[in-house]
Amino acid sequence: MPLDPVAYRPYEDPDDFIREVTDRIWVQRDISYIVDNYEPDSIVHGGLGTVVGRDGVIEGSLMRIAETPQHVGQAEDVIWEARGDDAFLSSHLVFSADELLVDGRPTRVRKRTVANCLYRRGRMVEEWVVRDELASVKQMGLDPAEVARGQRFRGYEGSMTKPAPSDVLSVGDSGPRPDDFRGECEMVLEFLDEVWNQRRLHKVPQYMERDLFLHTIGDTTVVRPDGYQRDLLSLVAPFPDARFAVRDVQTNHAERYAGLRIAVMWTMHGTYHGTADFGPLTGAPVDLLGVSQFLVQNGRIVREMRVFDEIALRAQINATRGDGEFTETNIY
């Protein structure tokens, strides 16, 4: 069933809609447009938890724009997929390279953000947003542990408190989805289960090209299967029992973005009792929200864009220790 234009008016398509709406709010600084763009009871999930209601989005956006008034977020990819005939789910990969003053010196800060947005009849209903805050912290010469102590983990509400969907290719957190590119989706989900969950890291070359690229947090690029294996080991080492649950999937094929991309929203659930990378071990559970965008060509993965918020993860671990002086930080 074709998508009704009511889902993305007055723009050409959902890709155009997402890029133009984002620029209007974040580049043109029309913060009041959030009132027209978001439902009053919209829900936003981020690294630090859930915010319910449009007012929280407005306040958080205003503070972020004020912090970096020269910020320009460039659309690197928009993976959108219909959710019925009047709605769509987009996975918007945003790249920024802002120049900030750090100790009086101009400093270039590169980072990526992914916003998964569920729009119905042109209005935001629910959003899942993750930012590579580690990249900002490192490039500004700050201590990640110290920055995390200034943040407060709120906890999750709504859909994020429910078990992951049992058949995510049919129904994800955003609702029923079309059965597009099933073979490629099944391959990506099998890869996540075999390599990420079962730790069969030797199978990376079975799913990914030799000349693969992984762009991940800290503005880091990893190449080749060996690099991918080492990066995954570093992610799960603090949480040896970590398991990844897929909560949503969307696909889009567009030549302007090099072909078929598959966006996967995932959560990692584990216990901080492994390597002490984030301070003293707690033995307490953690939940990490992340998004990976996979570029698939000829049935194989050639690139992954992975974004999650390590600073928010540290704040969550700190909360289980009662560690730090928390300030009120809006997750948006």
Side-chain angles (χ1 to χ4, degrees), residues 120-137:
R120 189 168 303 282
R121 303 183 71 83
R123 303 271 288 183
M124 176 80 80
V125 176
E126 191 164 4
E127 181 177 8
W128 299 261
V129 59
V130 285
R131 293 183 172 86
D132 181 11
E133 297 294 4
L134 179 64
S136 299
V137 169

Side-chain angles (χ1 to χ4, degrees), residues 52-96:
V52 179
R54 186 173 57 199
D55 289 347
V57 176
I58 294 171
E59 292 174 4
S61 300
L62 187 149
M63 287 188 289
R64 282 190 173 273
I65 291 171
E67 288 172 358
T68 54
Q70 78 286 4
H71 169 79
V72 175
Q74 173 71 25
E76 193 167 357
D77 204 336
V78 180
I79 304 174
W80 70 268
E81 189 177 76
R83 290 295 181 265
D85 62 357
D86 67 348
F88 66 88
L89 177 68
S90 64
S91 186
H92 183 195
L93 177 65
V94 180
F95 174 80
S96 60

Side-chain angles (χ1 to χ4, degrees), residues 40-281:
D41 58 352
S42 57
I43 301 172
V44 178
H45 311 282
L48 289 169
T50 301
V51 166
V52 179
R54 186 173 57 199
D55 289 347
V57 176
I58 294 171
E59 292 174 4
S61 300
L62 187 149
M63 287 188 289
R64 282 190 173 273
I65 291 171
E67 288 172 358
T68 54
Q70 78 286 4
H71 169 79
V72 175
Q74 173 71 25
E76 193 167 357
D77 204 336
V78 180
I79 304 174
W80 70 268
E81 189 177 76
R83 290 295 181 265
D85 62 357
D86 67 348
F88 66 88
L89 177 68
S90 64
S91 186
H92 183 195
L93 177 65
V94 180
F95 174 80
S96 60
D98 298 323
E99 190 168 279
L100 308 177
L101 284 178
V102 179
D103 295 329
R105 294 178 299 177
T107 302
R108 181 73 67 176
V109 176
R110 296 163 40 102
K111 65 185 289 187
R112 285 184 170 91
T113 298
V114 176
N116 275 22
C117 302
L118 177 61
Y119 274 93
R120 189 168 303 282
R121 303 183 71 83
R123 303 271 288 183
M124 176 80 80
V125 176
E126 191 164 4
E127 181 177 8
W128 299 261
V129 59
V130 285
R131 293 183 172 86
D132 181 11
E133 297 294 4
L134 179 64
S136 299
V137 169
K138 289 174 60 178
Q139 292 168 64
M140 293 173 68
L142 304 176
D143 178 4
E146 187 64 28
V147 173
R149 279 193 285 271
Q151 298 186 354
R152 182 172 69 88
F153 180 68
R154 298 169 179 268
Y156 289 111
E157 300 180 36
S159 62
M160 288 291 291
T161 66
K162 300 175 182 178
S166 58
D167 182 8
V168 74
L169 292 186
S170 297
V171 181
D173 277 359
S174 61
R177 61 174 301 274
D179 193 20
D180 294 337
F181 303 103
R182 173 167 283 270
E184 291 87 348
C185 288
E186 289 176 339
M187 181 272 293
V188 169
L189 295 186
E190 181 180 282
F191 163 74
L192 295 176
D193 183 58
E194 287 282 302
V195 176
W196 289 25
N197 277 335
Q198 304 303 323
R199 313 289 201 261
R200 296 185 175 118
L201 276 69
H202 66 287
K203 288 192 173 184
V204 169
Q206 294 183 27
Y207 299 92
M208 307 187 86
E209 285 292 317
R210 181 199 67 184
D211 298 317
L212 69 92
F213 285 86
L214 166 64
H215 302 289
T216 187
I217 64 165
D219 189 37
T220 300
T221 298
V222 171
V223 299
R224 301 277 179 138
D226 176 66
Y228 193 96
Q229 292 164 343
R230 285 186 279 109
D231 182 84
L232 184 60
L233 285 171
S234 69
L235 172 58
V236 300
F239 320 99
D241 61 347
R243 288 294 179 269
F244 297 85
V246 176
R247 306 202 62 97
D248 228 322
V249 173
Q250 67 252 61
T251 66
N252 185 269
H253 191 287
E255 293 305 320
R256 68 178 294 173
Y257 298 118
L260 174 61
R261 294 96 61 235
I262 300 175
V264 176
M265 185 176 74
W266 49 265
T267 47
M268 185 194 78
H269 310 277
T271 308
Y272 184 44
H273 66 256
T275 59
D277 292 354
F278 308 116
L281 299 174

Side-chain angles (χ1 to χ4, degrees), residues 21-33:
V21 165
T22 302
D23 259 28
R24 180 167 175 176
I25 296 171
W26 292 91
V27 179
Q28 299 173 29
R29 305 186 186 95
D30 185 1
I31 300 171
S32 68
Y33 185 62

